[in-house]
């Protein structure tokens, strides 16, 4: 029997990474072992028993999740979103590798779908994520929070919600049925969203579990929506008749340590937080994300607000309007860069300039971005080919996605 066990032995014996082991200690899932005179951790048989128990619990939980829906889990990237950077992650990572030494914190003040932060979260970085839309914030709470949740309970609840047959109309079906969704899907969305609130009010689920269920519903609704990927309008012909199906999100619990999640004005937040690397992906043009995703905001908050117009947008949505989509864009961006507290800045932007539909034209020029960033430090510009979003009526040639890297003085 080993009396003094090294960390190296632990890693080999249990086939886990050093970072994962230290993460579990930091989370309080494992006791911190004693250290010798060199500061090296010395593990005991009691520590090994505790580790075996923890691994058994995690394996059982993973098996339970894997049995759900034939291994189909909901990934953070499984949604349609204007300007999503899923296909640019390798490009972003290559720039960071070239310019940034080892770092610990990654800040995304305009996180959108959260896929870039999700990449770095899975690299065991602390991520700080923010978005002005509540629907995005709820997804971050699902995928990045460290608050506890009961996976088996949620899987059971999701199965029950999927099996529900709803024949009565509600707020969602009256306003969005036979428009954005089939009448059956709209009824079900309305029922499920109300049921989630009931479960929370009855203390049957906690705040994290509520976020997970809402996220599952938002992604399911997006997949079943009769749209071109946003909610500025719906297709006149109801040709998406897929049944609504909720899935259990695939959450990397081991990575979610000390992450910070916000739902506020990015220009205010940058004054309050600090990070090693900050990735900035502001809105590019006059397309307000609050307009494009009003329906998902409606589902997320479930306040059943007054609506307007053929698109049935929330009437009072000034709180989710962005200055980056207006003539104030340049001054707002300057204020952001002046106040951000970080060592490295990456700004993602595109060269739409005056191409395509007027609503797609960039609100800040290449020259203005460089001039503003140079006030903060040395600037490099990288570019790659990228397909621009259009309404389907125009083809944009020679479109580039630009990333401006600034090493802060």
């Amino acid at each position: 029997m080993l009396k003094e066990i090294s960390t190296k032995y632990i890693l080999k014996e249990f086939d886990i990474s050093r970072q994962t082991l230290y993460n579990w200690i930091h989370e309080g899932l494992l006791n911190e072992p004693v250290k010798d005179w060199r500061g090296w951790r010395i593990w005991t048989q009691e520590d090994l028993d505790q580790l075996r128990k923890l691994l058994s619990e995690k394996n059982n939980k993973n098996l339970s999740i894997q049995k759900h829906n034939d291994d189909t889990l909901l990934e953070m990237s499984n949604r349609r979103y204007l300007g999503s950077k899923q296909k640019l992650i390798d490009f972003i990572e290559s720039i960071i590798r070239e310019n940034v030494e080892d770092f610990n914190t990654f800040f995304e003040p305009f996180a959108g779908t959260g896929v870039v932060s999700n990449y770095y979260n899975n690299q065991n970085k602390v991520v700080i994520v923010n978005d002005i839309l509540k629907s995005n914030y709820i997804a971050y709470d699902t995928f990045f929070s460290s608050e506890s949740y009961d996976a088996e309970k949620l899987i059971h609840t999701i199965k029950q919600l999927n099996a529900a047959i709803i024949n009565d109309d509600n707020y969602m079906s009256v306003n969005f049925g036979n428009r954005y969704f089939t009448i059956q899907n709209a009824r079900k969305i309305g029922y499920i969203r109300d049921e989630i609130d009931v479960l929370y009010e009855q203390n049957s689920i906690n705040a994290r579990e509520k976020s997970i269920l809402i996220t599952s519903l938002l992604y399911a609704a997006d997949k079943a929506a009769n749209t071109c990927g946003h909610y500025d309008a719906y297709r006149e012909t109801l040709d998406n008749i897929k049944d609504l199906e909720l899935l259990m999100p695939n959450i990397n619990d081991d990575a979610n340590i000390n992450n910070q999640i916000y739902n506020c004005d990015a220009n205010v937040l940058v004054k309050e937080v600090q990070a090693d690397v900050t990735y900035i992906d502001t809105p590019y043009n006059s397309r307000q994300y609050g307009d494009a995703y009003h329906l998902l905001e409606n589902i997320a908050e479930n306040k059943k607000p007054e609506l307007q117009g053929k698109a049935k947008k929330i009437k009072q949505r000034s709180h989710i309007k962005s200055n980056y989509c207006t003539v104030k864009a340049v001054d707002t961006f300057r204020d952001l860069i002046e106040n951000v507290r970080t060592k490295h800045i990456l700004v993602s932007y595109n060269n739409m300039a005056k191409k395509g539909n007027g609503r797609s034209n960039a609100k800040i020029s290449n020259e203005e971005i460089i001039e503003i960033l140079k006030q903060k430090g040395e600037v490099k510009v990288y570019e790659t080919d990228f397909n621009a979003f259009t309404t389907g009526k125009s083809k944009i040639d020679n479109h580039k996605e630009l990333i401006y890297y600034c090493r802060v003085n």
Side-chain angles (χ1 to χ4, degrees), residues 49-66:
D49 292 341
Q50 186 188 24
L51 181 55
R52 285 193 181 95
K53 182 179 178 182
L54 176 62
L55 284 167
S56 176
E57 290 172 352
K58 286 187 172 292
N59 287 336
N60 289 337
K61 179 179 176 181
N62 289 339
L63 284 172
S64 174
I65 292 175
Q66 287 169 7

Side-chain angles (χ1 to χ4, degrees), residues 341-363:
R341 303 162 69 195
T342 189
K343 300 174 184 176
H344 307 271
I345 301 171
L346 284 83
V347 176
S348 189
Y349 222 67
N350 64 49
N351 68 339
M352 282 300 290
K354 299 299 181 183
K355 302 176 184 178
N357 184 297
R359 293 183 65 199
S360 299
N361 294 163
K363 290 293 181 183

Side-chain angles (χ1 to χ4, degrees), residues 145-194:
S145 174
S146 59
E147 185 181 355
S148 63
Y149 66 95
D150 185 332
E152 288 195 21
K153 177 177 69 176
L154 289 174
I155 290 169
H156 177 71
T157 302
I158 286 171
K159 286 181 178 178
Q160 286 186 317
L161 294 174
N162 280 333
I165 299 173
I166 311 302
N167 296 316
D168 296 330
D169 280 319
N170 51 48
Y171 174 85
M172 288 300 299
S173 63
V174 168
N175 289 295
F176 303 110
N178 289 329
R179 294 182 176 91
Y180 290 97
F181 308 101
T182 64
I183 192 70
Q184 292 83 4
N185 280 341
R187 286 172 179 164
K188 199 162 183 177
I189 291 168
Y191 163 78
I192 291 173
R193 186 60 189 86
D194 287 342

